[in-house]
Amino acid sequence: MEQTWRWFGPQDVVTLAQLRQAGATGVVTALHDIPYGEVWSVEAIRERLGLIAADASFGLRWSVVESLPVHERIKIGEGDLSGLFDAYRQLMRNLAACGVTTICYNFMPVLDWTRTELAHPLPGGGTALRFNAHEFAAFDCCMLERAGAEADHPPEVVARARAWFARSTPAQRARLLANIMAGLPGAYERYDIPALRLALARYRGIGRAELRANLVRFLREVIPTAEECGIRMAIHPDDPPRGLMGLPRIVSTGEDIAALLDAVPSPANGLTLCSGSLGAGPGNDVPAIAARFAGRIHFAHLRNVAKEPDGSFMEADHLGGDTDMVALVSVLLHEQARRKAGGDAHWRIPMRPDHGHVLLDDAGKPTHPGYPAIGRLRGLAEIRGVMTALAKVNNLPL
């Protein structure tokens, strides 16, 4: 697999030189400073490509765009969307003209990935991202005060949520809001409570069926352009894979993925296989999901989570947690071998380590949550070892 690394651009604390030191050769990035719905010009794309290629000794290439956001109006199906569809199609053409042909995107309403702790302590002093079910319920029921929220959480979780809220300080509540907002990518606005209520109100009357219909409409608008210019679209699963704050989630299970891929059955309509997002779902067998949809996997995020009975979970070591990472990597390597044998010029699946722990002297550095250098380096090194061993034993191409 192509070993890649997420880089947030020239302002990222983790540099391209450090990316290369970690052993990655592919760069996963986006132009986060450009607002949703606006076209990335060829000049802006080439400027980013120039930064990536500035030191030829690094041997880096921009292999995946992550993320190319879908405007909220498209998710809602609000008003005349022709201009937004046109802009997305033109952006795809501009990327393809510059040689960047894999796009990771998601269709999660309002928020991207959601955690309640960004620095949960680990033995020895490291920290990890964590989702505490009772803290999220406290936010939903007691801070957001969403109508009907209690019915969306188990009674025992609601009881713990109310106890947490009763003893929490204003600073703790403000930190919980900031942590939940931290999953929004790039430099975009973070909601306060009133603004979040307004954002949620826009989805009133939109359930799973309506949101899925809006996703299928979007894909039917853009996939023909993807086919024309050699773009591979790779949807990212919901993180976590469950409804949040009354919002529907529609890419959370194997059946969800099947419905999406079947609705627009083009090879250009594919999947970002995120083992952590899917792994947070109690009913999800991630290696089995990967095997089921192997031919439509265009990108992989490899990380692990450890789940708890109440719905809480924590980012685990890349080779720890609940997902059998060895089995999952084996599925991906066998799929690569199938593609290579079939003459696919793009047979390598780009993958990146995801959501590393904060370790050693990364503590205190202003890295993006989940994206410190050393924790991801450790994860990439561990996965590289698994890849190398499996490829040698099974005579598979890396």
Side-chain angles (χ1 to χ4, degrees), residues 324-359:
D324 184 340
M325 192 61 69
V326 175
L328 176 57
V329 171
S330 179
V331 169
L332 297 176
L333 288 177
H334 278 88
E335 171 58 19
Q336 281 196 155
R338 184 195 68 79
R339 295 180 189 185
K340 186 177 183 182
D344 186 344
H346 304 287
W347 57 271
R348 277 197 174 89
I349 298 171
M351 72 82 177
R352 67 171 179 83
D354 200 11
H355 290 189
H357 293 164
V358 175
L359 304 172

PDB file of all heavy atoms in Angstrom, residues 324-359:
ATOM      1  N   ASP A 324      -9.141  -6.452  14.358  1.00  0.00           N
ATOM      2  CA  ASP A 324      -7.977  -7.288  14.038  1.00  0.00           C
ATOM      3  C   ASP A 324      -7.248  -6.621  12.866  1.00  0.00           C
ATOM      4  O   ASP A 324      -7.593  -6.822  11.709  1.00  0.00           O
ATOM      5  CB  ASP A 324      -8.455  -8.695  13.665  1.00  0.00           C
ATOM      6  CG  ASP A 324      -7.303  -9.663  13.416  1.00  0.00           C
ATOM      7  OD1 ASP A 324      -6.175  -9.210  13.161  1.00  0.00           O
ATOM      8  OD2 ASP A 324      -7.555 -10.889  13.465  1.00  0.00           O
ATOM      9  N   MET A 325      -6.239  -5.813  13.193  1.00  0.00           N
ATOM     10  CA  MET A 325      -5.551  -5.041  12.165  1.00  0.00           C
ATOM     11  C   MET A 325      -4.779  -5.939  11.199  1.00  0.00           C
ATOM     12  O   MET A 325      -4.650  -5.621  10.011  1.00  0.00           O
ATOM     13  CB  MET A 325      -4.618  -4.021  12.803  1.00  0.00           C
ATOM     14  CG  MET A 325      -4.061  -2.983  11.843  1.00  0.00           C
ATOM     15  SD  MET A 325      -5.320  -1.944  11.053  1.00  0.00           S
ATOM     16  CE  MET A 325      -5.873  -0.981  12.473  1.00  0.00           C
ATOM     17  N   VAL A 326      -4.263  -7.047  11.694  1.00  0.00           N
ATOM     18  CA  VAL A 326      -3.535  -7.962  10.809  1.00  0.00           C
ATOM     19  C   VAL A 326      -4.484  -8.524   9.754  1.00  0.00           C
ATOM     20  O   VAL A 326      -4.162  -8.564   8.564  1.00  0.00           O
ATOM     21  CB  VAL A 326      -2.861  -9.085  11.621  1.00  0.00           C
ATOM     22  CG1 VAL A 326      -2.205 -10.106  10.690  1.00  0.00           C
ATOM     23  CG2 VAL A 326      -1.823  -8.502  12.591  1.00  0.00           C
ATOM     24  N   ALA A 327      -5.672  -8.934  10.184  1.00  0.00           N
ATOM     25  CA  ALA A 327      -6.657  -9.456   9.228  1.00  0.00           C
ATOM     26  C   ALA A 327      -7.076  -8.380   8.236  1.00  0.00           C
ATOM     27  O   ALA A 327      -7.247  -8.652   7.039  1.00  0.00           O
ATOM     28  CB  ALA A 327      -7.875  -9.994   9.973  1.00  0.00           C
ATOM     29  N   LEU A 328      -7.243  -7.166   8.713  1.00  0.00           N
ATOM     30  CA  LEU A 328      -7.662  -6.078   7.832  1.00  0.00           C
ATOM     31  C   LEU A 328      -6.586  -5.755   6.800  1.00  0.00           C
ATOM     32  O   LEU A 328      -6.883  -5.629   5.604  1.00  0.00           O
ATOM     33  CB  LEU A 328      -7.969  -4.834   8.666  1.00  0.00           C
ATOM     34  CG  LEU A 328      -8.341  -3.578   7.875  1.00  0.00           C
ATOM     35  CD1 LEU A 328      -9.542  -3.814   6.976  1.00  0.00           C
ATOM     36  CD2 LEU A 328      -8.609  -2.413   8.828  1.00  0.00           C
ATOM     37  N   VAL A 329      -5.344  -5.646   7.225  1.00  0.00           N
ATOM     38  CA  VAL A 329      -4.259  -5.366   6.282  1.00  0.00           C
ATOM     39  C   VAL A 329      -4.136  -6.495   5.263  1.00  0.00           C
ATOM     40  O   VAL A 329      -3.881  -6.264   4.076  1.00  0.00           O
ATOM     41  CB  VAL A 329      -2.935  -5.138   7.035  1.00  0.00           C
ATOM     42  CG1 VAL A 329      -1.762  -5.056   6.071  1.00  0.00           C
ATOM     43  CG2 VAL A 329      -3.008  -3.846   7.859  1.00  0.00           C
ATOM     44  N   SER A 330      -4.362  -7.725   5.699  1.00  0.00           N
ATOM     45  CA  SER A 330      -4.317  -8.855   4.775  1.00  0.00           C
ATOM     46  C   SER A 330      -5.358  -8.706   3.670  1.00  0.00           C
ATOM     47  O   SER A 330      -5.077  -8.950   2.488  1.00  0.00           O
ATOM     48  CB  SER A 330      -4.532 -10.166   5.537  1.00  0.00           C
ATOM     49  OG  SER A 330      -4.517 -11.267   4.660  1.00  0.00           O
ATOM     50  N   VAL A 331      -6.568  -8.291   4.037  1.00  0.00           N
ATOM     51  CA  VAL A 331      -7.620  -8.072   3.034  1.00  0.00           C
ATOM     52  C   VAL A 331      -7.166  -7.034   2.015  1.00  0.00           C
ATOM     53  O   VAL A 331      -7.310  -7.232   0.794  1.00  0.00           O
ATOM     54  CB  VAL A 331      -8.928  -7.615   3.719  1.00  0.00           C
ATOM     55  CG1 VAL A 331      -9.934  -7.131   2.668  1.00  0.00           C
ATOM     56  CG2 VAL A 331      -9.530  -8.744   4.539  1.00  0.00           C
ATOM     57  N   LEU A 332      -6.595  -5.936   2.489  1.00  0.00           N
ATOM     58  CA  LEU A 332      -6.189  -4.862   1.584  1.00  0.00           C
ATOM     59  C   LEU A 332      -5.041  -5.291   0.682  1.00  0.00           C
ATOM     60  O   LEU A 332      -5.017  -4.957  -0.515  1.00  0.00           O
ATOM     61  CB  LEU A 332      -5.812  -3.629   2.401  1.00  0.00           C
ATOM     62  CG  LEU A 332      -6.948  -3.009   3.222  1.00  0.00           C
ATOM     63  CD1 LEU A 332      -6.426  -1.857   4.073  1.00  0.00           C
ATOM     64  CD2 LEU A 332      -8.091  -2.536   2.332  1.00  0.00           C
ATOM     65  N   LEU A 333      -4.085  -6.037   1.217  1.00  0.00           N
ATOM     66  CA  LEU A 333      -2.967  -6.503   0.397  1.00  0.00           C
ATOM     67  C   LEU A 333      -3.438  -7.498  -0.670  1.00  0.00           C
ATOM     68  O   LEU A 333      -2.959  -7.462  -1.815  1.00  0.00           O
ATOM     69  CB  LEU A 333      -1.900  -7.144   1.277  1.00  0.00           C
ATOM     70  CG  LEU A 333      -1.077  -6.188   2.154  1.00  0.00           C
ATOM     71  CD1 LEU A 333      -0.115  -6.989   3.033  1.00  0.00           C
ATOM     72  CD2 LEU A 333      -0.300  -5.185   1.309  1.00  0.00           C
ATOM     73  N   HIS A 334      -4.356  -8.382  -0.321  1.00  0.00           N
ATOM     74  CA  HIS A 334      -4.874  -9.320  -1.325  1.00  0.00           C
ATOM     75  C   HIS A 334      -5.666  -8.581  -2.407  1.00  0.00           C
ATOM     76  O   HIS A 334      -5.619  -8.956  -3.589  1.00  0.00           O
ATOM     77  CB  HIS A 334      -5.731 -10.394  -0.662  1.00  0.00           C
ATOM     78  CG  HIS A 334      -4.935 -11.520  -0.056  1.00  0.00           C
ATOM     79  ND1 HIS A 334      -4.457 -11.490   1.232  1.00  0.00           N
ATOM     80  CD2 HIS A 334      -4.498 -12.693  -0.588  1.00  0.00           C
ATOM     81  CE1 HIS A 334      -3.782 -12.606   1.480  1.00  0.00           C
ATOM     82  NE2 HIS A 334      -3.796 -13.356   0.390  1.00  0.00           N
ATOM     83  N   GLU A 335      -6.394  -7.531  -2.024  1.00  0.00           N
ATOM     84  CA  GLU A 335      -7.110  -6.748  -3.020  1.00  0.00           C
ATOM     85  C   GLU A 335      -6.129  -6.042  -3.959  1.00  0.00           C
ATOM     86  O   GLU A 335      -6.343  -5.990  -5.172  1.00  0.00           O
ATOM     87  CB  GLU A 335      -8.025  -5.727  -2.339  1.00  0.00           C
ATOM     88  CG  GLU A 335      -8.660  -4.701  -3.273  1.00  0.00           C
ATOM     89  CD  GLU A 335      -9.504  -5.296  -4.386  1.00  0.00           C
ATOM     90  OE1 GLU A 335      -9.932  -6.471  -4.285  1.00  0.00           O
ATOM     91  OE2 GLU A 335      -9.760  -4.578  -5.379  1.00  0.00           O
ATOM     92  N   GLN A 336      -5.044  -5.512  -3.401  1.00  0.00           N
ATOM     93  CA  GLN A 336      -4.014  -4.909  -4.248  1.00  0.00           C
ATOM     94  C   GLN A 336      -3.460  -5.909  -5.256  1.00  0.00           C
ATOM     95  O   GLN A 336      -3.266  -5.597  -6.432  1.00  0.00           O
ATOM     96  CB  GLN A 336      -2.856  -4.405  -3.390  1.00  0.00           C
ATOM     97  CG  GLN A 336      -3.093  -3.103  -2.702  1.00  0.00           C
ATOM     98  CD  GLN A 336      -1.793  -2.482  -2.200  1.00  0.00           C
ATOM     99  OE1 GLN A 336      -1.739  -1.296  -2.051  1.00  0.00           O
ATOM    100  NE2 GLN A 336      -0.762  -3.250  -1.964  1.00  0.00           N
ATOM    101  N   ALA A 337      -3.186  -7.117  -4.778  1.00  0.00           N
ATOM    102  CA  ALA A 337      -2.638  -8.141  -5.666  1.00  0.00           C
ATOM    103  C   ALA A 337      -3.615  -8.451  -6.793  1.00  0.00           C
ATOM    104  O   ALA A 337      -3.214  -8.639  -7.950  1.00  0.00           O
ATOM    105  CB  ALA A 337      -2.318  -9.403  -4.872  1.00  0.00           C
ATOM    106  N   ARG A 338      -4.913  -8.499  -6.470  1.00  0.00           N
ATOM    107  CA  ARG A 338      -5.927  -8.749  -7.500  1.00  0.00           C
ATOM    108  C   ARG A 338      -5.913  -7.630  -8.539  1.00  0.00           C
ATOM    109  O   ARG A 338      -5.980  -7.889  -9.749  1.00  0.00           O
ATOM    110  CB  ARG A 338      -7.305  -8.848  -6.842  1.00  0.00           C
ATOM    111  CG  ARG A 338      -8.436  -9.212  -7.809  1.00  0.00           C
ATOM    112  CD  ARG A 338      -9.798  -8.946  -7.210  1.00  0.00           C
ATOM    113  NE  ARG A 338     -10.042  -7.520  -7.033  1.00  0.00           N
ATOM    114  CZ  ARG A 338     -10.409  -6.687  -8.008  1.00  0.00           C
ATOM    115  NH1 ARG A 338     -10.556  -7.131  -9.252  1.00  0.00           N
ATOM    116  NH2 ARG A 338     -10.632  -5.409  -7.746  1.00  0.00           N
ATOM    117  N   ARG A 339      -5.826  -6.376  -8.068  1.00  0.00           N
ATOM    118  CA  ARG A 339      -5.817  -5.245  -9.004  1.00  0.00           C
ATOM    119  C   ARG A 339      -4.577  -5.268  -9.891  1.00  0.00           C
ATOM    120  O   ARG A 339      -4.658  -5.013 -11.093  1.00  0.00           O
ATOM    121  CB  ARG A 339      -5.877  -3.923  -8.214  1.00  0.00           C
ATOM    122  CG  ARG A 339      -7.162  -3.732  -7.445  1.00  0.00           C
ATOM    123  CD  ARG A 339      -7.173  -2.402  -6.686  1.00  0.00           C
ATOM    124  NE  ARG A 339      -8.321  -2.330  -5.786  1.00  0.00           N
ATOM    125  CZ  ARG A 339      -8.649  -1.257  -5.072  1.00  0.00           C
ATOM    126  NH1 ARG A 339      -7.913  -0.152  -5.159  1.00  0.00           N
ATOM    127  NH2 ARG A 339      -9.712  -1.284  -4.281  1.00  0.00           N
ATOM    128  N   LYS A 340      -3.441  -5.546  -9.292  1.00  0.00           N
ATOM    129  CA  LYS A 340      -2.206  -5.581 -10.076  1.00  0.00           C
ATOM    130  C   LYS A 340      -2.268  -6.675 -11.130  1.00  0.00           C
ATOM    131  O   LYS A 340      -1.884  -6.462 -12.296  1.00  0.00           O
ATOM    132  CB  LYS A 340      -1.000  -5.787  -9.160  1.00  0.00           C
ATOM    133  CG  LYS A 340       0.330  -5.692  -9.893  1.00  0.00           C
ATOM    134  CD  LYS A 340       1.503  -5.828  -8.938  1.00  0.00           C
ATOM    135  CE  LYS A 340       2.827  -5.656  -9.686  1.00  0.00           C
ATOM    136  NZ  LYS A 340       3.994  -5.840  -8.790  1.00  0.00           N
ATOM    137  N   ALA A 341      -2.749  -7.856 -10.743  1.00  0.00           N
ATOM    138  CA  ALA A 341      -2.847  -8.961 -11.692  1.00  0.00           C
ATOM    139  C   ALA A 341      -3.810  -8.632 -12.833  1.00  0.00           C
ATOM    140  O   ALA A 341      -3.642  -9.125 -13.951  1.00  0.00           O
ATOM    141  CB  ALA A 341      -3.300 -10.229 -10.973  1.00  0.00           C
ATOM    142  N   GLY A 342      -4.807  -7.776 -12.545  1.00  0.00           N
ATOM    143  CA  GLY A 342      -5.769  -7.392 -13.570  1.00  0.00           C
ATOM    144  C   GLY A 342      -5.318  -6.243 -14.444  1.00  0.00           C
ATOM    145  O   GLY A 342      -6.075  -5.791 -15.300  1.00  0.00           O
ATOM    146  N   GLY A 343      -4.088  -5.752 -14.202  1.00  0.00           N
ATOM    147  CA  GLY A 343      -3.548  -4.699 -15.041  1.00  0.00           C
ATOM    148  C   GLY A 343      -3.944  -3.293 -14.643  1.00  0.00           C
ATOM    149  O   GLY A 343      -3.776  -2.350 -15.424  1.00  0.00           O
ATOM    150  N   ASP A 344      -4.463  -3.119 -13.421  1.00  0.00           N
ATOM    151  CA  ASP A 344      -4.851  -1.793 -12.958  1.00  0.00           C
ATOM    152  C   ASP A 344      -3.594  -0.964 -12.707  1.00  0.00           C
ATOM    153  O   ASP A 344      -2.757  -1.315 -11.877  1.00  0.00           O
ATOM    154  CB  ASP A 344      -5.660  -1.926 -11.658  1.00  0.00           C
ATOM    155  CG  ASP A 344      -6.238  -0.601 -11.168  1.00  0.00           C
ATOM    156  OD1 ASP A 344      -5.785   0.458 -11.636  1.00  0.00           O
ATOM    157  OD2 ASP A 344      -7.126  -0.643 -10.303  1.00  0.00           O
ATOM    158  N   ALA A 345      -3.460   0.146 -13.422  1.00  0.00           N
ATOM    159  CA  ALA A 345      -2.272   0.994 -13.265  1.00  0.00           C
ATOM    160  C   ALA A 345      -2.226   1.653 -11.895  1.00  0.00           C
ATOM    161  O   ALA A 345      -1.154   2.068 -11.436  1.00  0.00           O
ATOM    162  CB  ALA A 345      -2.252   2.069 -14.354  1.00  0.00           C
ATOM    163  N   HIS A 346      -3.365   1.774 -11.229  1.00  0.00           N
ATOM    164  CA  HIS A 346      -3.449   2.405  -9.905  1.00  0.00           C
ATOM    165  C   HIS A 346      -3.778   1.347  -8.847  1.00  0.00           C
ATOM    166  O   HIS A 346      -4.674   1.534  -8.029  1.00  0.00           O
ATOM    167  CB  HIS A 346      -4.498   3.506  -9.906  1.00  0.00           C
ATOM    168  CG  HIS A 346      -4.276   4.551 -10.952  1.00  0.00           C
ATOM    169  ND1 HIS A 346      -3.279   5.502 -10.869  1.00  0.00           N
ATOM    170  CD2 HIS A 346      -4.914   4.792 -12.127  1.00  0.00           C
ATOM    171  CE1 HIS A 346      -3.311   6.284 -11.925  1.00  0.00           C
ATOM    172  NE2 HIS A 346      -4.289   5.869 -12.715  1.00  0.00           N
ATOM    173  N   TRP A 347      -3.009   0.269  -8.856  1.00  0.00           N
ATOM    174  CA  TRP A 347      -3.368  -0.867  -8.011  1.00  0.00           C
ATOM    175  C   TRP A 347      -3.061  -0.641  -6.536  1.00  0.00           C
ATOM    176  O   TRP A 347      -3.675  -1.272  -5.677  1.00  0.00           O
ATOM    177  CB  TRP A 347      -2.662  -2.135  -8.505  1.00  0.00           C
ATOM    178  CG  TRP A 347      -1.166  -2.068  -8.572  1.00  0.00           C
ATOM    179  CD1 TRP A 347      -0.408  -1.645  -9.623  1.00  0.00           C
ATOM    180  CD2 TRP A 347      -0.234  -2.429  -7.545  1.00  0.00           C
ATOM    181  NE1 TRP A 347       0.932  -1.731  -9.331  1.00  0.00           N
ATOM    182  CE2 TRP A 347       1.069  -2.216  -8.057  1.00  0.00           C
ATOM    183  CE3 TRP A 347      -0.367  -2.938  -6.252  1.00  0.00           C
ATOM    184  CZ2 TRP A 347       2.223  -2.474  -7.313  1.00  0.00           C
ATOM    185  CZ3 TRP A 347       0.772  -3.197  -5.503  1.00  0.00           C
ATOM    186  CH2 TRP A 347       2.052  -2.967  -6.034  1.00  0.00           C
ATOM    187  N   ARG A 348      -2.144   0.245  -6.225  1.00  0.00           N
ATOM    188  CA  ARG A 348      -1.822   0.473  -4.812  1.00  0.00           C
ATOM    189  C   ARG A 348      -2.930   1.282  -4.135  1.00  0.00           C
ATOM    190  O   ARG A 348      -3.387   2.295  -4.652  1.00  0.00           O
ATOM    191  CB  ARG A 348      -0.501   1.222  -4.658  1.00  0.00           C
ATOM    192  CG  ARG A 348       0.707   0.316  -4.737  1.00  0.00           C
ATOM    193  CD  ARG A 348       1.968   0.999  -4.176  1.00  0.00           C
ATOM    194  NE  ARG A 348       3.068   0.042  -4.139  1.00  0.00           N
ATOM    195  CZ  ARG A 348       3.902  -0.162  -5.135  1.00  0.00           C
ATOM    196  NH1 ARG A 348       3.767   0.531  -6.256  1.00  0.00           N
ATOM    197  NH2 ARG A 348       4.864  -1.043  -5.035  1.00  0.00           N
ATOM    198  N   ILE A 349      -3.335   0.849  -2.952  1.00  0.00           N
ATOM    199  CA  ILE A 349      -4.325   1.560  -2.150  1.00  0.00           C
ATOM    200  C   ILE A 349      -3.585   2.514  -1.223  1.00  0.00           C
ATOM    201  O   ILE A 349      -2.777   2.074  -0.398  1.00  0.00           O
ATOM    202  CB  ILE A 349      -5.179   0.579  -1.326  1.00  0.00           C
ATOM    203  CG1 ILE A 349      -5.955  -0.363  -2.240  1.00  0.00           C
ATOM    204  CG2 ILE A 349      -6.140   1.343  -0.407  1.00  0.00           C
ATOM    205  CD1 ILE A 349      -6.647  -1.502  -1.503  1.00  0.00           C
ATOM    206  N   PRO A 350      -3.812   3.826  -1.339  1.00  0.00           N
ATOM    207  CA  PRO A 350      -3.177   4.723  -0.377  1.00  0.00           C
ATOM    208  C   PRO A 350      -3.776   4.519   1.011  1.00  0.00           C
ATOM    209  O   PRO A 350      -4.998   4.382   1.157  1.00  0.00           O
ATOM    210  CB  PRO A 350      -3.499   6.120  -0.933  1.00  0.00           C
ATOM    211  CG  PRO A 350      -4.664   5.942  -1.818  1.00  0.00           C
ATOM    212  CD  PRO A 350      -4.628   4.540  -2.332  1.00  0.00           C
ATOM    213  N   MET A 351      -2.918   4.457   1.990  1.00  0.00           N
ATOM    214  CA  MET A 351      -3.395   4.336   3.372  1.00  0.00           C
ATOM    215  C   MET A 351      -2.598   5.301   4.235  1.00  0.00           C
ATOM    216  O   MET A 351      -1.476   5.667   3.929  1.00  0.00           O
ATOM    217  CB  MET A 351      -3.246   2.898   3.879  1.00  0.00           C
ATOM    218  CG  MET A 351      -1.833   2.437   4.174  1.00  0.00           C
ATOM    219  SD  MET A 351      -1.226   2.944   5.799  1.00  0.00           S
ATOM    220  CE  MET A 351       0.397   2.152   5.801  1.00  0.00           C
ATOM    221  N   ARG A 352      -3.208   5.695   5.335  1.00  0.00           N
ATOM    222  CA  ARG A 352      -2.474   6.522   6.290  1.00  0.00           C
ATOM    223  C   ARG A 352      -2.805   6.089   7.713  1.00  0.00           C
ATOM    224  O   ARG A 352      -3.917   5.604   7.992  1.00  0.00           O
ATOM    225  CB  ARG A 352      -2.766   8.000   6.097  1.00  0.00           C
ATOM    226  CG  ARG A 352      -4.180   8.450   6.429  1.00  0.00           C
ATOM    227  CD  ARG A 352      -4.235   9.982   6.406  1.00  0.00           C
ATOM    228  NE  ARG A 352      -5.565  10.518   6.681  1.00  0.00           N
ATOM    229  CZ  ARG A 352      -6.072  10.691   7.893  1.00  0.00           C
ATOM    230  NH1 ARG A 352      -5.384  10.323   8.971  1.00  0.00           N
ATOM    231  NH2 ARG A 352      -7.283  11.213   8.047  1.00  0.00           N
ATOM    232  N   PRO A 353      -1.839   6.256   8.633  1.00  0.00           N
ATOM    233  CA  PRO A 353      -2.160   6.056  10.044  1.00  0.00           C
ATOM    234  C   PRO A 353      -3.034   7.213  10.491  1.00  0.00           C
ATOM    235  O   PRO A 353      -2.900   8.335   9.999  1.00  0.00           O
ATOM    236  CB  PRO A 353      -0.780   6.105  10.716  1.00  0.00           C
ATOM    237  CG  PRO A 353       0.008   7.026   9.841  1.00  0.00           C
ATOM    238  CD  PRO A 353      -0.471   6.759   8.435  1.00  0.00           C
ATOM    239  N   ASP A 354      -3.928   6.949  11.423  1.00  0.00           N
ATOM    240  CA  ASP A 354      -4.908   7.962  11.793  1.00  0.00           C
ATOM    241  C   ASP A 354      -4.944   8.112  13.312  1.00  0.00           C
ATOM    242  O   ASP A 354      -4.707   7.154  14.048  1.00  0.00           O
ATOM    243  CB  ASP A 354      -6.276   7.541  11.251  1.00  0.00           C
ATOM    244  CG  ASP A 354      -7.256   8.678  11.128  1.00  0.00           C
ATOM    245  OD1 ASP A 354      -6.840   9.835  11.253  1.00  0.00           O
ATOM    246  OD2 ASP A 354      -8.440   8.399  10.898  1.00  0.00           O
ATOM    247  N   HIS A 355      -5.231   9.317  13.752  1.00  0.00           N
ATOM    248  CA  HIS A 355      -5.499   9.620  15.164  1.00  0.00           C
ATOM    249  C   HIS A 355      -4.493   8.973  16.114  1.00  0.00           C
ATOM    250  O   HIS A 355      -4.819   8.124  16.929  1.00  0.00           O
ATOM    251  CB  HIS A 355      -6.913   9.186  15.541  1.00  0.00           C
ATOM    252  CG  HIS A 355      -7.970  10.027  14.901  1.00  0.00           C
ATOM    253  ND1 HIS A 355      -9.298   9.933  15.232  1.00  0.00           N
ATOM    254  CD2 HIS A 355      -7.909  10.987  13.941  1.00  0.00           C
ATOM    255  CE1 HIS A 355     -10.004  10.787  14.509  1.00  0.00           C
ATOM    256  NE2 HIS A 355      -9.173  11.439  13.706  1.00  0.00           N
ATOM    257  N   GLY A 356      -3.250   9.401  16.000  1.00  0.00           N
ATOM    258  CA  GLY A 356      -2.215   8.879  16.886  1.00  0.00           C
ATOM    259  C   GLY A 356      -2.310   9.450  18.286  1.00  0.00           C
ATOM    260  O   GLY A 356      -2.904  10.504  18.531  1.00  0.00           O
ATOM    261  N   HIS A 357      -1.704   8.744  19.226  1.00  0.00           N
ATOM    262  CA  HIS A 357      -1.592   9.236  20.594  1.00  0.00           C
ATOM    263  C   HIS A 357      -0.557  10.361  20.664  1.00  0.00           C
ATOM    264  O   HIS A 357       0.390  10.401  19.872  1.00  0.00           O
ATOM    265  CB  HIS A 357      -1.149   8.101  21.529  1.00  0.00           C
ATOM    266  CG  HIS A 357      -2.165   7.025  21.684  1.00  0.00           C
ATOM    267  ND1 HIS A 357      -1.865   5.785  22.204  1.00  0.00           N
ATOM    268  CD2 HIS A 357      -3.500   6.982  21.384  1.00  0.00           C
ATOM    269  CE1 HIS A 357      -2.942   5.033  22.234  1.00  0.00           C
ATOM    270  NE2 HIS A 357      -3.951   5.739  21.741  1.00  0.00           N
ATOM    271  N   VAL A 358      -0.744  11.261  21.610  1.00  0.00           N
ATOM    272  CA  VAL A 358       0.273  12.277  21.889  1.00  0.00           C
ATOM    273  C   VAL A 358       1.315  11.640  22.812  1.00  0.00           C
ATOM    274  O   VAL A 358       1.005  11.238  23.934  1.00  0.00           O
ATOM    275  CB  VAL A 358      -0.343  13.519  22.552  1.00  0.00           C
ATOM    276  CG1 VAL A 358       0.747  14.521  22.953  1.00  0.00           C
ATOM    277  CG2 VAL A 358      -1.342  14.181  21.608  1.00  0.00           C
ATOM    278  N   LEU A 359       2.549  11.528  22.325  1.00  0.00           N
ATOM    279  CA  LEU A 359       3.609  10.810  23.030  1.00  0.00           C
ATOM    280  C   LEU A 359       4.872  11.664  23.114  1.00  0.00           C
ATOM    281  O   LEU A 359       5.093  12.563  22.291  1.00  0.00           O
ATOM    282  CB  LEU A 359       3.935   9.504  22.298  1.00  0.00           C
ATOM    283  CG  LEU A 359       2.783   8.522  22.045  1.00  0.00           C
ATOM    284  CD1 LEU A 359       3.247   7.386  21.145  1.00  0.00           C
ATOM    285  CD2 LEU A 359       2.236   7.983  23.360  1.00  0.00           C
TER     286      LEU A 359
END
